[in-house]
Amino acid sequence: VRTTSSMSEILFKGVIAALVTPLTPAGDIDVPAVQPVVDFLLARGISGLYVCGSTGEGLGLSVPQRKTMTEAAIKAAAGRVPVMVMVAAHSVDDACELARHAQAAGADAISSVAPPSTPGNFDAALVYWTAIGAASALPFYVYWIAATADKTVTPERFVSAMKGLPTFRGVKFTDTDFFKFQQLLAHGTPNAVTGPDEMMVAGLAMGSHGAIGSTYNVHPALATAIFAAFHANQNKEATALQWRMNANIAAMIQLCNCKERGTNIIAGLKLILRELHGLPVGQTCTSLVTPMTADNESALLAAVRGNLE
């Protein structure tokens, strides 16, 4: 277990990969496949892991499967980078069970989206998050998603309410309203990282401590180069690298049919990891992802080949 000190510590910074979950043909967690994926990412500068989130197909997995993936990811990281586990579930009891397990397994933090049954309701989310936060002593991060956030809540009210949770540490912000993001920081959010991969530079410009994203699984070297260039005040270089990365992202959005369902991108991520990086991550959880056509698979591989490093 890594040591996490004061609640004002910036625990997650740099580029954090929203880790894919390797699956066997039977749909079980492919535990031996987790280590090579984590090693691949860390060798390219990834500075943290986000486990069992949307990219990790968490809500499509059973509680035992999520526990298995959590344990495998923590073991693979071996204390080299911090690990945050997304514990939200349709049942608050399951979410609390996952929070307790994450702590026992050696995670560095837990995270939760709004309750799946009541999106867009901050009062309901606060009750849900309070229960999860009380179940574990780990630092707690809210996963702010534009589609499920309560749009009537101001950043000031959000931060004020969240400070009532003793373990609240920060926000994973997957939204394009960067003024709202900056205001979350201004009102005292200790650790805030942005989610839209295609807008990493914009998030950094507004004060983000880092970026958590799905596509960092397939082009981690590009993502970490953007972060390094920005912090070296090489803004033109950071922007040029963002454009390169966005060419990959645009191809994935189109060819994975992400307009139908955002999680469809997972099929493209796993395809690229299998075919271009040689990592046996298996297929996807069919309840969350529409499989790609063979033509779209070929087109995606052609589009990104040579632009991943």
Side-chain angles (χ1 to χ4, degrees), residues 23 57 261 284-291:
L23 296 174
E57 304 175 78
R261 188 160 47 171
T284 58
C285 176
T286 56
S287 66
L288 298 176
V289 181
T290 304

Side-chain angles (χ1 to χ4, degrees), residues 62-63 66-67 87-100 128 132:
S62 68
V63 168
R66 292 171 71 174
K67 289 180 178 181
V87 299
H90 294 282
S91 157
V92 69
D93 290 340
D94 285 348
C96 290
E97 181 179 346
L98 289 165
R100 288 188 290 269
Y128 183 77
I132 294 171

